Amino acid sequence: AELPRRAAKKPRPRRHGVHFWLTDGVHVALRRRPPDGLLGGMEELPGTPWRDAAWDWAEAAAHAPAAAAWRPVGEVRHVFTHFELSIAVHAARVESLTRTLPSGLSARRRDRLAESALPSVMRKCAAVAEAAEARGA
């Protein structure tokens, strides 16, 4: 008499990360993800690994791409198939990114980011950082 009911979906686990928007106003620092795994070979803002526990600033700062006056500018939430990701975005400005680029990073012109191989979660992070700059935060 009663149709079979769908089983309730399991809640997705939540992971946490911190990513860094390092800019000189014209360029932004990016790195390439490893070729294998989630978002393999795509570019991203430098940051921490993604893990189950939230990052405190002391731990996250060790992953910052440069010594700078980092400030929190927002948070991004993104849903993947098997987990939800919460990313704290921190931003800093340096005088010249192209002259002081940390090893393993590349400088991309901000006005050409749309041409970069950024996954949507990183595009969200960039939008949060740029919106904070526009607000003067």
Side-chain angles (χ1 to χ4, degrees), residues 37-85:
L38 187 64
L39 307 177
M42 297 185 84
E43 292 180 305
E44 69 178 353
L45 299 177
T48 65
W50 301 339
R51 68 180 194 187
D52 294 336
W55 291 85
D56 66 33
W57 177 243
E59 289 178 297
H63 295 271
W70 294 103
R71 64 194 188 289
V73 294
E75 187 172 323
V76 168
R77 294 196 185 275
H78 190 78
V79 177
F80 290 97
T81 305
H82 300 314
F83 68 94
E84 292 181 22
L85 179 61

Side-chain angles (χ1 to χ4, degrees), residues 3-4 17 24-25 27-28 30 34-35 48 50 55 66 71-72 77 84 91-92 103 106 108 111 113 117-118 128 136:
L3 295 174
D24 60 8
H27 301 91
V28 64
L30 298 177
T48 65
W50 301 339
W55 291 85
R71 64 194 188 289
R77 294 196 185 275
E84 292 181 22
S103 177
S106 59
R108 294 286 189 277
D111 61 357
L113 272 182
L118 289 177
V128 163

Side-chain angles (χ1 to χ4, degrees), residues 21-28 71 73 91-93 110 126-137:
W21 175 263
L22 181 62
T23 185
D24 60 8
V26 175
H27 301 91
V28 64
R71 64 194 188 289
V73 294
R93 189 176 211 129
R110 289 174 61 171
V128 163
E130 289 185 317
E133 277 187 0
R135 290 191 313 269

Side-chain angles (χ1 to χ4, degrees), residues 85-105:
L85 179 61
S86 177
I87 296 176
V89 181
H90 290 258
R93 189 176 211 129
V94 294
E95 187 176 319
S96 174
L97 189 58
T98 56
R99 281 186 285 173
T100 59
L101 195 62
S103 177
L105 301 182

